[in-house]
Amino acid sequence: MKKHIVIDPITRIEGHLRIEAVIDENNTIVDAYSASTMFRGIETILQGRDPRDCGLLAMRICGVCTGTHYQRSIEAVEDAFDVTIPKNARIVRNLIQGALYVHDHVVHFYHLHALDFVDVVSALSADPAKTAAEARKWAKVAGETPFIDGESQIREIQERVAKFVKQGRLGIFGNGYWGNPHYKLTPEQNLLGVAHYLLALDLQRDMAKMQAIFGGKNPHPQSIVVGGVTCVQDIQNPARIALFKQLLLEGRKFVKQAYLPDVYMAGTVYAGEATDSKATFSHHVGGNGVGGTGGGLLNFMSYGDFRLDDTGFYKSALLFPSGVVMNGDLSTLIPLDEAKIAEDVTHSWYEGDKPLHPYEGATVPHYTGLDKRADGIAYLKTGEKYSWIKSPIYNDARVEVGPLARMVIGVAAKDERITRYVTNFLKKGNLPVTVLFSTIGRTAARAIETELMADVMVEWVDELAANVAAGDLSTWTEFDFDKVSRNTKGRGMAEAPRGALGHWVRIEDGKVSNYQAIVPSTWNGAPRDYKNRMGAYEASLIGTKVAKPEEPLEIIRTIHSFDPCIACAVHVVDTKGKELAVYKVDTSCAI
Amino acid sequence: MNVALIGSGNAFFMDEGAGLYAGKYLKENYDFAPAIDIVDGGTLGFRLMPLLQEYDYVLIANTSSRDAIDAGTIEVLDAQTLIDQAGLKKTANEVEIAEMLQICSMARHCADVTLVSIVPLDIVSVQVDLTPTLKSAWSRYIETILGELARRGIIASPKAGRVTLETIIDIFAHPSIEHGRGF
């Protein structure tokens, strides 16, 4: 008899992410639905505006990636007016965004995802001396010295954790699924993970400071304007550049000595699942079953980002190449054709009868409600409309976006730098390339990307200092708003930490006539499309075996591996918290 | 003592922006002694963490989701009370704040936190404004925040030339690069 699991705070909380999964008699997920239950029709607010002001509003779409939305919006307008920014502005923008990647990925791994792998209660019974040995072991795999390996320091951290648990004041440590059989690390490995969790908590404070150095007003960066950046005084001041570099090097040290080793540790312990080809969506739909648990669609897309030269938007060489990879085929890179991007609303609470390109996109709500309640739970009408997220499609296919997509596409594009980092990681960890197509692979790709980004940012900050020292102080390309076209359109298509982010703006008579944004969590968290094909979250859950249906640890782990927008992430975390919100795992409803 | 007042909320969803407007309103209309930092917190998510670690005392102005009580009601909570309130958080912001407070309580340093929350009437409409209910509760909301600051020894004195709530909301609704009017 099949059982229906609902992970959702829907009855009390207005929005965000809800997952419904159907498991068979072997506790294997055979069907899954991802839904956002909060309306976000923010685009309508931008209509009729002065195009230069879009950034100030668009940055409010998300508080975490505020600077990324802001920059995308500015770039959409720059594209519309054909403005090319100066070299200093390009590097400063790269550094601001790069700093966000490093901060975001570290915080995501430790504070929003690690406890899906690390059993805190088990850590309490660890031997600190053996834990220190474990730290050395995994750092050695990464070719590094460990960030910490002092027995007394580890013991002190263990005592600190014990105190937290004893006090019971920690929601997230208070009642997780501790002891679940799918927690596979040893007590010492768990203690190492917890120790790094706490160290990262103190360190991320400094990582966050990097964004503010060139970003201007913290926490909402406002130093980016149409035509360039306004932080000319900061780049002229060698002390500011030196401070940025110092913070970067400190952050990079943690990435190399703790984050990467921890991912090697988890990757090795969970390698069996990451290569279990029968636990894949691909196997489930009769495909070649490449990869393992959590692999999902195996179709990947990147818009490309981080310009490496000054030939202009959409012309420059890029740190992350653009492109598409289908069916996990790393030998074939399909060039990105942005005309093939469309959004479908068949299963979304909007009006519309066919997929539309974002320039033509519409956001007209059409809420049709939830199904009748049973046992106090209102279920999604999965055969009809069931989410506020639209379903983006590329060339009539569903795709995944994010760090894994960027690494996969970099390898398929034979990008020297990305291929080197990915190959090194797999070689050092003695892991097959197919391990990437899994939940742990998605998490590993984010770590690989963090190291790559931290390294390349050191080059960029030196490049900026050298350019300024050589006398180039230009940060802004002048343009006269009164002389540019009053009827035009533009797009800002690039990558946010969570994946492909696009803003499309259409300008008529000098005002915004249409504005559409497709955010990464839209690509990944979307519902089914007009051909009833699953979105990335949905597909990633298919074939996963759940150890205990009343403890959906595996579902949470896989959804977290995508780094869903914070609001979503929090709500799933809630399921193991102190019932921050109402949460039901209903296993009694047979369907 | 290092003090921050964080206006938190989402300006796109009617009353959910109340905390943001409060931060800006206080910044425009008062001088504080000793000086405090007033931060436009928006919907910060985990970017709230560095702020909680940076300051000794943080006052967060936001909206609450206590639908059992009337819109316009103002509550003052400490961090632990917010964390312990089960099933009462409707907005992304509220959940995020609770989550971040939980995580940061494990950091070496976490600010002492007070929340001054106002119960919204409408957090669904996509509009930059406040409902009349919240507008009529405005002076109480501001006085409550000032009262909490005063309890910590921070004295506010009005600036010359009052900026009205309507003007503050208008700044959020119509930011302009041309007129140098950002958030």
Side-chain angles (χ1 to χ4, degrees):
Chain A
M1 190 173 70
K2 287 178 182 171
K3 291 175 180 173
H4 201 119
I5 300 175
V6 178
I7 301 180
D8 177 33
I10 200 168
T11 50
R12 293 284 185 88
I13 293 197
E14 285 294 322
H16 325 311
L17 187 66
R18 172 192 177 109
I19 299 289
E20 288 191 15
V22 179
I23 58 170
D24 67 9
E25 59 279 7
N26 299 315
N27 286 351
T28 299
I29 299 173
V30 292
D31 210 347
Y33 300 90
S34 162
S36 165
T37 49
M38 184 168 75
F39 175 59
R40 305 286 300 180
I42 287 167
E43 289 107 332
T44 53
I45 271 187
L46 285 141
Q47 287 169 7
R49 303 278 179 171
D50 181 328
R52 291 169 296 179
D53 300 335
C54 287
L56 291 174
L57 289 150
M59 72 179 191
R60 296 269 173 192
I61 290 175
C62 169
V64 173
C65 291
T66 175
T68 311
H69 281 288
Y70 184 65
Q71 187 171 320
R72 286 300 84 81
S73 178
I74 295 281
E75 286 168 0
V77 175
E78 285 169 342
D79 180 46
F81 296 144
D82 200 19
V83 177
T84 300
I85 64 173
K87 179 174 182 171
N88 286 331
R90 170 180 62 81
I91 300 174
V92 165
R93 288 187 187 183
N94 280 355
L95 289 172
I96 294 172
Q97 295 299 330
L100 175 65
Y101 272 62
V102 175
H103 184 219
D104 190 305
H105 286 359
V106 168
V107 169
H108 171 261
F109 179 70
Y110 284 102
H111 306 117
L112 304 173
H113 193 28
L115 301 188
D116 303 333
F117 297 99
V118 173
D119 184 332
V120 177
V121 172
S122 158
L124 299 180
S125 60
D127 175 335
K130 286 185 188 162
T131 304
E134 199 74 31
R136 288 189 286 275
K137 176 182 166 184
W138 296 107
K140 194 178 168 193
V141 172
E144 295 284 338
T145 51
F147 194 77
I148 50 159
D149 68 344
E151 189 185 331
S152 60
Q153 192 184 1
I154 291 170
R155 189 183 304 281
E156 188 261 334
I157 290 173
Q158 189 182 34
E159 283 163 5
R160 204 168 133 201
V161 176
K163 204 169 85 184
F164 289 144
V165 172
K166 204 171 165 187
Q167 286 171 345
R169 67 184 170 96
L170 301 173
I172 45 173
F173 282 7
N175 46 16
Y177 301 138
W178 317 130
N180 183 294
H182 280 182
Y183 277 120
K184 293 186 173 176
L185 303 184
T186 65
E188 285 72 28
Q189 291 171 334
N190 283 316
L191 178 56
L192 186 60
V194 175
H196 288 160
Y197 176 112
L198 292 172
L199 291 165
L201 189 54
D202 292 326
L203 274 165
Q204 60 85 30
R205 168 181 171 181
D206 286 335
M207 293 180 188
K209 284 180 187 160
M210 268 193 287
Q211 293 158 69
I213 290 179
F214 300 123
K217 185 188 166 201
N218 192 27
H220 297 290
Q222 293 189 11
S223 62
I224 300 169
V225 292
V226 175
V229 295
T230 58
C231 49
V232 64
Q233 285 167 338
D234 291 317
I235 68 163
Q236 274 184 275
N237 182 348
R240 298 290 285 172
I241 293 181
L243 175 61
F244 187 96
K245 189 168 175 180
Q246 183 202 331
L247 293 168
L248 173 61
L249 292 177
E250 283 168 10
R252 185 173 77 158
K253 185 175 172 213
F254 182 79
V255 168
K256 286 179 185 284
Q257 297 184 347
Y259 185 6
L260 265 296
D262 284 349
V263 172
Y264 281 114
M265 179 171 81
T268 304
V269 172
Y270 285 91
E273 290 171 27
T275 51
D276 179 2
S277 62
K278 287 190 176 152
T280 62
F281 173 68
S282 168
H283 177 77
H284 184 81
V285 295
N288 56 8
V290 67
T293 303
L297 294 172
L298 303 186
N299 300 334
F300 302 97
M301 183 189 73
S302 165
Y303 293 159
D305 201 3
F306 292 93
R307 291 167 52 224
L308 301 175
D309 62 49
D310 297 293
T311 47
F313 290 113
Y314 309 110
K315 297 182 196 113
S316 306
L318 298 170
L319 178 70
F320 299 135
S322 68
V324 176
V325 163
M326 298 295 289
N327 303 312
D329 177 8
L330 288 166
S331 68
T332 309
L333 178 79
I334 301 165
L336 181 80
D337 177 356
E338 56 186 85
K340 290 179 176 168
I341 295 166
E343 283 195 295
D344 172 64
V345 294
T346 304
H347 289 283
S348 314
W349 284 310
Y350 300 96
E351 287 179 12
D353 53 7
K354 61 176 183 206
L356 295 173
H357 186 274
Y359 275 138
E360 320 298 334
T363 306
V364 183
H366 178 55
Y367 183 63
T368 52
L370 298 167
D371 222 337
K372 66 179 183 213
R373 284 165 183 267
D375 304 332
I377 302 173
Y379 290 89
L380 300 170
K381 291 181 185 174
T382 51
E384 305 170 23
K385 291 177 185 289
Y386 64 88
S387 178
W388 281 114
I389 297 181
K390 297 177 186 176
S391 296
I393 47 181
Y394 177 81
N395 193 23
D396 200 27
R398 307 307 301 269
V399 297
E400 172 180 340
V401 300
L404 176 56
R406 289 191 286 262
M407 295 301 103
V408 162
I409 285 156
V411 170
K414 300 187 171 50
D415 178 89
E416 188 279 325
R417 193 191 312 253
I418 294 175
T419 305
R420 177 159 41 92
Y421 277 82
V422 171
T423 308
N424 275 346
F425 178 86
L426 295 169
K427 208 167 139 187
K428 286 181 189 168
N430 195 24
L431 298 162
V433 68
T434 51
V435 81
L436 290 173
F437 301 129
S438 67
T439 296
I440 192 75
R442 197 173 286 114
T443 297
R446 187 172 294 108
I448 297 168
E449 181 175 88
T450 311
E451 186 185 26
L452 183 155
M453 183 61 81
D455 284 342
V456 76
M457 283 173 68
V458 177
E459 295 173 24
W460 290 342
V461 79
D462 289 343
E463 189 185 359
L464 177 67
N467 195 50
V468 173
D472 178 3
L473 296 176
S474 168
T475 56
W476 188 62
T477 300
E478 193 170 354
F479 83 105
D480 185 344
F481 184 67
D482 296 327
K483 289 182 183 161
V484 294
S485 172
R486 294 183 65 76
N487 295 291
T488 182
K489 62 182 182 179
R491 78 285 200 219
M493 290 172 62
E495 294 286 312
R498 289 167 186 76
L501 170 64
H503 284 232
W504 287 262
V505 60
R506 192 180 275 280
I507 298 162
E508 284 173 19
D509 196 23
K511 300 282 181 199
V512 174
S513 66
N514 194 12
Y515 200 100
Q516 292 289 322
I518 305 181
V519 305
S521 296
T522 305
W523 284 101
N524 289 338
R528 280 158 170 73
D529 69 3
Y530 74 109
K531 287 186 177 167
N532 213 35
R533 295 172 301 194
M534 293 185 190
Y537 289 175
E538 295 178 336
S540 71
L541 295 172
I542 304 301
T544 297
K545 190 158 173 126
V546 180
K548 293 180 172 180
E550 68 278 15
E551 295 184 356
L553 173 66
E554 301 83 355
I555 296 176
I556 289 165
R557 181 185 287 158
T558 292
I559 297 300
H560 279 171
S561 75
F562 286 91
D563 189 5
C565 274
I566 181 74
C568 304
V570 164
H571 288 202
V572 184
V573 169
D574 286 350
T575 61
K576 55 181 181 177
K578 275 188 185 173
E579 203 181 45
L580 277 176
V582 170
Y583 157 64
K584 304 254 185 192
V585 178
D586 180 52
T587 55
S588 63
C589 174
I591 58 167
Chain B
M1 191 170 63
N2 201 357
V3 177
L5 190 157
I6 302 176
S8 177
N10 193 327
F12 291 144
F13 301 117
M14 262 325 235
D15 291 343
E16 206 185 325
L20 293 178
Y21 310 145
K24 183 79 172 164
Y25 184 92
L26 290 163
K27 192 173 188 170
E28 296 297 330
N29 285 309
Y30 294 90
D31 290 315
F32 294 89
I36 63 170
D37 287 337
I38 297 183
V39 182
D40 176 348
T43 53
L44 276 183
F46 69 71
R47 296 189 65 201
L48 186 61
M49 282 162 52
L51 295 171
L52 293 174
Q53 290 165 281
E54 203 67 42
Y55 292 92
D56 300 312
Y57 175 65
V58 167
L59 188 150
I60 299 175
N62 72 337
T63 50
S64 148
S65 295
R66 295 281 299 275
D67 51 9
I69 49 181
D70 293 339
T73 304
I74 294 148
E75 291 184 301
V76 179
L77 301 173
D78 61 23
Q80 197 57 45
T81 309
L82 177 79
I83 292 169
D84 290 342
Q85 279 183 342
L88 291 169
K89 299 164 192 72
K90 270 188 179 175
T91 65
N93 228 341
E94 256 181 305
V95 180
E96 284 168 6
I97 290 170
E99 181 73 10
M100 292 310 126
L101 286 170
Q102 278 192 336
I103 292 175
C104 280
S105 68
M106 286 177 285
R108 294 260 171 216
H109 172 83
C110 182
D112 184 10
V113 176
T114 303
L115 290 111
V116 181
S117 310
I118 186 162
V119 179
L121 183 67
D122 177 0
I123 54 168
V124 174
S125 301
V126 183
Q127 198 180 334
V128 185
D129 204 349
L130 286 178
T131 55
T133 307
L134 261 69
K135 283 179 182 169
S136 64
W138 193 252
S139 57
R140 276 191 297 118
Y141 187 36
I142 294 299
E143 278 159 22
T144 308
I145 294 168
L146 292 176
E148 284 303 310
L149 289 172
R151 284 202 322 124
R152 303 279 172 162
I154 298 153
I155 304 305
S157 38
K159 290 181 181 177
R162 183 168 165 267
V163 179
T164 64
L165 173 61
E166 296 297 338
T167 303
I168 298 291
I169 293 172
D170 192 54
I171 290 169
F172 280 81
H174 302 101
S176 167
I177 297 281
E178 192 177 18
H179 300 106
R181 205 166 67 158
F183 284 150

mmCIF file of all heavy atoms in Angstrom, chain A residues 397-425:
data_model
loop_
_atom_site.group_PDB
_atom_site.id
_atom_site.type_symbol
_atom_site.label_atom_id
_atom_site.label_comp_id
_atom_site.label_asym_id
_atom_site.label_seq_id
_atom_site.Cartn_x
_atom_site.Cartn_y
_atom_site.Cartn_z
ATOM 1 N N ALA A 397 12.389 21.329 -22.468
ATOM 2 C CA ALA A 397 12.864 20.306 -21.527
ATOM 3 C C ALA A 397 12.972 20.922 -20.146
ATOM 4 O O ALA A 397 13.122 22.136 -20.006
ATOM 5 C CB ALA A 397 14.225 19.776 -21.965
ATOM 6 N N ARG A 398 12.894 20.088 -19.127
ATOM 7 C CA ARG A 398 13.094 20.542 -17.754
ATOM 8 C C ARG A 398 14.578 20.472 -17.442
ATOM 9 O O ARG A 398 15.240 19.501 -17.829
ATOM 10 C CB ARG A 398 12.319 19.640 -16.760
ATOM 11 C CG ARG A 398 10.844 19.459 -17.071
ATOM 12 C CD ARG A 398 10.095 20.764 -17.248
ATOM 13 N NE ARG A 398 10.141 21.647 -16.103
ATOM 14 C CZ ARG A 398 9.258 21.658 -15.113
ATOM 15 N NH1 ARG A 398 8.256 20.813 -15.114
ATOM 16 N NH2 ARG A 398 9.360 22.526 -14.123
ATOM 17 N N VAL A 399 15.095 21.483 -16.757
ATOM 18 C CA VAL A 399 16.526 21.511 -16.453
ATOM 19 C C VAL A 399 16.754 21.905 -14.988
ATOM 20 O O VAL A 399 15.894 22.514 -14.356
ATOM 21 C CB VAL A 399 17.296 22.499 -17.362
ATOM 22 C CG1 VAL A 399 17.221 22.081 -18.819
ATOM 23 C CG2 VAL A 399 16.787 23.934 -17.177
ATOM 24 N N GLU A 400 17.926 21.537 -14.489
ATOM 25 C CA GLU A 400 18.367 21.934 -13.147
ATOM 26 C C GLU A 400 19.397 23.050 -13.283
ATOM 27 O O GLU A 400 20.193 23.050 -14.225
ATOM 28 C CB GLU A 400 19.013 20.717 -12.449
ATOM 29 C CG GLU A 400 19.689 21.075 -11.118
ATOM 30 C CD GLU A 400 20.329 19.869 -10.413
ATOM 31 O OE1 GLU A 400 19.970 18.711 -10.706
ATOM 32 O OE2 GLU A 400 21.201 20.113 -9.552
ATOM 33 N N VAL A 401 19.388 23.988 -12.339
ATOM 34 C CA VAL A 401 20.393 25.054 -12.314
ATOM 35 C C VAL A 401 21.105 25.044 -10.955
ATOM 36 O O VAL A 401 20.611 24.457 -9.998
ATOM 37 C CB VAL A 401 19.752 26.450 -12.556
ATOM 38 C CG1 VAL A 401 19.066 26.496 -13.912
ATOM 39 C CG2 VAL A 401 18.773 26.821 -11.439
ATOM 40 N N GLY A 402 22.259 25.701 -10.879
ATOM 41 C CA GLY A 402 22.976 25.795 -9.603
ATOM 42 C C GLY A 402 24.439 25.414 -9.763
ATOM 43 O O GLY A 402 24.928 25.224 -10.873
ATOM 44 N N PRO A 403 25.142 25.284 -8.620
ATOM 45 C CA PRO A 403 26.574 24.965 -8.684
ATOM 46 C C PRO A 403 26.865 23.667 -9.443
ATOM 47 O O PRO A 403 27.821 23.600 -10.209
ATOM 48 C CB PRO A 403 26.970 24.833 -7.211
ATOM 49 C CG PRO A 403 25.977 25.643 -6.475
ATOM 50 C CD PRO A 403 24.697 25.528 -7.239
ATOM 51 N N LEU A 404 26.035 22.643 -9.251
ATOM 52 C CA LEU A 404 26.284 21.387 -9.966
ATOM 53 C C LEU A 404 26.170 21.620 -11.476
ATOM 54 O O LEU A 404 27.010 21.151 -12.245
ATOM 55 C CB LEU A 404 25.301 20.300 -9.508
ATOM 56 C CG LEU A 404 25.404 18.966 -10.255
ATOM 57 C CD1 LEU A 404 26.808 18.378 -10.182
ATOM 58 C CD2 LEU A 404 24.388 17.957 -9.708
ATOM 59 N N ALA A 405 25.147 22.361 -11.886
ATOM 60 C CA ALA A 405 24.985 22.679 -13.306
ATOM 61 C C ALA A 405 26.215 23.430 -13.819
ATOM 62 O O ALA A 405 26.733 23.145 -14.897
ATOM 63 C CB ALA A 405 23.716 23.504 -13.524
ATOM 64 N N ARG A 406 26.704 24.396 -13.029
ATOM 65 C CA ARG A 406 27.858 25.187 -13.487
ATOM 66 C C ARG A 406 29.110 24.323 -13.641
ATOM 67 O O ARG A 406 29.881 24.494 -14.587
ATOM 68 C CB ARG A 406 28.121 26.346 -12.514
ATOM 69 C CG ARG A 406 27.065 27.431 -12.584
ATOM 70 C CD ARG A 406 27.480 28.675 -11.808
ATOM 71 N NE ARG A 406 27.397 28.524 -10.375
ATOM 72 C CZ ARG A 406 26.377 28.952 -9.612
ATOM 73 N NH1 ARG A 406 25.340 29.550 -10.177
ATOM 74 N NH2 ARG A 406 26.392 28.791 -8.318
ATOM 75 N N MET A 407 29.314 23.399 -12.709
ATOM 76 C CA MET A 407 30.498 22.543 -12.791
ATOM 77 C C MET A 407 30.362 21.556 -13.962
ATOM 78 O O MET A 407 31.310 21.321 -14.703
ATOM 79 C CB MET A 407 30.705 21.782 -11.467
ATOM 80 C CG MET A 407 31.028 22.669 -10.256
ATOM 81 S SD MET A 407 32.525 23.681 -10.428
ATOM 82 C CE MET A 407 31.806 25.288 -10.763
ATOM 83 N N VAL A 408 29.176 20.980 -14.106
ATOM 84 C CA VAL A 408 28.930 20.026 -15.190
ATOM 85 C C VAL A 408 29.126 20.709 -16.545
ATOM 86 O O VAL A 408 29.788 20.179 -17.448
ATOM 87 C CB VAL A 408 27.497 19.449 -15.056
ATOM 88 C CG1 VAL A 408 27.028 18.808 -16.348
ATOM 89 C CG2 VAL A 408 27.441 18.442 -13.907
ATOM 90 N N ILE A 409 28.584 21.905 -16.681
ATOM 91 C CA ILE A 409 28.681 22.622 -17.951
ATOM 92 C C ILE A 409 30.127 23.073 -18.203
ATOM 93 O O ILE A 409 30.611 23.019 -19.340
ATOM 94 C CB ILE A 409 27.667 23.786 -17.984
ATOM 95 C CG1 ILE A 409 26.274 23.172 -18.206
ATOM 96 C CG2 ILE A 409 28.000 24.808 -19.078
ATOM 97 C CD1 ILE A 409 25.135 23.988 -17.737
ATOM 98 N N GLY A 410 30.825 23.442 -17.135
ATOM 99 C CA GLY A 410 32.239 23.809 -17.278
ATOM 100 C C GLY A 410 33.054 22.642 -17.809
ATOM 101 O O GLY A 410 33.911 22.807 -18.675
ATOM 102 N N VAL A 411 32.766 21.454 -17.293
ATOM 103 C CA VAL A 411 33.484 20.257 -17.754
ATOM 104 C C VAL A 411 33.099 19.952 -19.206
ATOM 105 O O VAL A 411 33.968 19.691 -20.048
ATOM 106 C CB VAL A 411 33.184 19.046 -16.837
ATOM 107 C CG1 VAL A 411 33.726 17.754 -17.440
ATOM 108 C CG2 VAL A 411 33.788 19.277 -15.451
ATOM 109 N N ALA A 412 31.801 20.016 -19.495
ATOM 110 C CA ALA A 412 31.348 19.730 -20.866
ATOM 111 C C ALA A 412 31.916 20.743 -21.853
ATOM 112 O O ALA A 412 32.191 20.419 -23.012
ATOM 113 C CB ALA A 412 29.818 19.720 -20.923
ATOM 114 N N ALA A 413 32.108 21.979 -21.386
ATOM 115 C CA ALA A 413 32.660 23.035 -22.247
ATOM 116 C C ALA A 413 34.185 22.942 -22.334
ATOM 117 O O ALA A 413 34.816 23.756 -22.996
ATOM 118 C CB ALA A 413 32.256 24.408 -21.712
ATOM 119 N N LYS A 414 34.739 21.960 -21.625
ATOM 120 C CA LYS A 414 36.204 21.769 -21.561
ATOM 121 C C LYS A 414 36.907 23.018 -21.047
ATOM 122 O O LYS A 414 38.003 23.372 -21.482
ATOM 123 C CB LYS A 414 36.756 21.344 -22.917
ATOM 124 C CG LYS A 414 36.144 20.029 -23.392
ATOM 125 C CD LYS A 414 36.800 19.512 -24.648
ATOM 126 C CE LYS A 414 36.351 18.100 -25.001
ATOM 127 N NZ LYS A 414 34.891 17.896 -25.010
ATOM 128 N N ASP A 415 36.236 23.706 -20.136
ATOM 129 C CA ASP A 415 36.839 24.878 -19.502
ATOM 130 C C ASP A 415 38.021 24.387 -18.671
ATOM 131 O O ASP A 415 37.876 23.498 -17.817
ATOM 132 C CB ASP A 415 35.800 25.564 -18.611
ATOM 133 C CG ASP A 415 36.376 26.763 -17.881
ATOM 134 O OD1 ASP A 415 36.330 27.856 -18.450
ATOM 135 O OD2 ASP A 415 36.887 26.588 -16.747
ATOM 136 N N GLU A 416 39.185 24.965 -18.902
ATOM 137 C CA GLU A 416 40.411 24.464 -18.270
ATOM 138 C C GLU A 416 40.320 24.532 -16.751
ATOM 139 O O GLU A 416 40.602 23.567 -16.040
ATOM 140 C CB GLU A 416 41.613 25.273 -18.789
ATOM 141 C CG GLU A 416 42.965 24.717 -18.360
ATOM 142 C CD GLU A 416 43.385 25.118 -16.943
ATOM 143 O OE1 GLU A 416 43.069 26.250 -16.502
ATOM 144 O OE2 GLU A 416 44.007 24.295 -16.254
ATOM 145 N N ARG A 417 39.890 25.694 -16.228
ATOM 146 C CA ARG A 417 39.897 25.895 -14.784
ATOM 147 C C ARG A 417 38.886 24.982 -14.087
ATOM 148 O O ARG A 417 39.218 24.290 -13.129
ATOM 149 C CB ARG A 417 39.600 27.362 -14.464
ATOM 150 C CG ARG A 417 39.888 27.723 -13.017
ATOM 151 C CD ARG A 417 39.354 29.106 -12.638
ATOM 152 N NE ARG A 417 39.691 30.155 -13.574
ATOM 153 C CZ ARG A 417 40.597 31.114 -13.345
ATOM 154 N NH1 ARG A 417 41.254 31.143 -12.225
ATOM 155 N NH2 ARG A 417 40.808 32.047 -14.251
ATOM 156 N N ILE A 418 37.663 24.980 -14.563
ATOM 157 C CA ILE A 418 36.633 24.165 -13.909
ATOM 158 C C ILE A 418 36.978 22.680 -14.001
ATOM 159 O O ILE A 418 36.867 21.938 -13.023
ATOM 160 C CB ILE A 418 35.239 24.454 -14.518
ATOM 161 C CG1 ILE A 418 34.824 25.894 -14.187
ATOM 162 C CG2 ILE A 418 34.200 23.463 -14.019
ATOM 163 C CD1 ILE A 418 33.534 26.342 -14.816
ATOM 164 N N THR A 419 37.427 22.249 -15.175
ATOM 165 C CA THR A 419 37.788 20.839 -15.337
ATOM 166 C C THR A 419 38.891 20.454 -14.351
ATOM 167 O O THR A 419 38.849 19.387 -13.736
ATOM 168 C CB THR A 419 38.268 20.577 -16.785
ATOM 169 O OG1 THR A 419 37.254 21.027 -17.680
ATOM 170 C CG2 THR A 419 38.525 19.093 -17.021
ATOM 171 N N ARG A 420 39.851 21.353 -14.176
ATOM 172 C CA ARG A 420 40.949 21.077 -13.245
ATOM 173 C C ARG A 420 40.424 20.906 -11.812
ATOM 174 O O ARG A 420 40.783 19.957 -11.117
ATOM 175 C CB ARG A 420 41.970 22.224 -13.331
ATOM 176 C CG ARG A 420 43.137 22.128 -12.372
ATOM 177 C CD ARG A 420 44.328 22.975 -12.852
ATOM 178 N NE ARG A 420 43.965 24.270 -13.403
ATOM 179 C CZ ARG A 420 43.892 25.410 -12.703
ATOM 180 N NH1 ARG A 420 44.130 25.401 -11.409
ATOM 181 N NH2 ARG A 420 43.567 26.552 -13.292
ATOM 182 N N TYR A 421 39.556 21.822 -11.368
ATOM 183 C CA TYR A 421 39.038 21.733 -9.989
ATOM 184 C C TYR A 421 38.169 20.485 -9.794
ATOM 185 O O TYR A 421 38.260 19.823 -8.769
ATOM 186 C CB TYR A 421 38.246 22.998 -9.630
ATOM 187 C CG TYR A 421 39.138 24.138 -9.177
ATOM 188 C CD1 TYR A 421 39.789 24.948 -10.101
ATOM 189 C CD2 TYR A 421 39.359 24.390 -7.831
ATOM 190 C CE1 TYR A 421 40.619 25.980 -9.696
ATOM 191 C CE2 TYR A 421 40.185 25.419 -7.411
ATOM 192 C CZ TYR A 421 40.811 26.210 -8.345
ATOM 193 O OH TYR A 421 41.632 27.226 -7.949
ATOM 194 N N VAL A 422 37.331 20.190 -10.767
ATOM 195 C CA VAL A 422 36.457 19.025 -10.634
ATOM 196 C C VAL A 422 37.291 17.739 -10.654
ATOM 197 O O VAL A 422 37.110 16.851 -9.821
ATOM 198 C CB VAL A 422 35.389 19.011 -11.757
ATOM 199 C CG1 VAL A 422 34.610 17.698 -11.756
ATOM 200 C CG2 VAL A 422 34.424 20.186 -11.596
ATOM 201 N N THR A 423 38.222 17.663 -11.586
ATOM 202 C CA THR A 423 39.066 16.468 -11.705
ATOM 203 C C THR A 423 39.900 16.261 -10.447
ATOM 204 O O THR A 423 39.996 15.139 -9.929
ATOM 205 C CB THR A 423 39.998 16.591 -12.938
ATOM 206 O OG1 THR A 423 39.187 16.910 -14.065
ATOM 207 C CG2 THR A 423 40.742 15.298 -13.200
ATOM 208 N N ASN A 424 40.495 17.343 -9.959
ATOM 209 C CA ASN A 424 41.282 17.252 -8.729
ATOM 210 C C ASN A 424 40.452 16.717 -7.576
ATOM 211 O O ASN A 424 40.899 15.874 -6.799
ATOM 212 C CB ASN A 424 41.830 18.634 -8.327
ATOM 213 C CG ASN A 424 43.129 18.936 -9.041
ATOM 214 O OD1 ASN A 424 43.752 18.049 -9.614
ATOM 215 N ND2 ASN A 424 43.535 20.192 -9.008
ATOM 216 N N PHE A 425 39.251 17.229 -7.463
ATOM 217 C CA PHE A 425 38.384 16.804 -6.360
ATOM 218 C C PHE A 425 38.117 15.301 -6.446
ATOM 219 O O PHE A 425 38.261 14.567 -5.469
ATOM 220 C CB PHE A 425 37.059 17.583 -6.386
ATOM 221 C CG PHE A 425 36.107 17.155 -5.302
ATOM 222 C CD1 PHE A 425 36.177 17.717 -4.033
ATOM 223 C CD2 PHE A 425 35.155 16.170 -5.530
ATOM 224 C CE1 PHE A 425 35.320 17.303 -3.024
ATOM 225 C CE2 PHE A 425 34.299 15.748 -4.524
ATOM 226 C CZ PHE A 425 34.381 16.325 -3.265
#
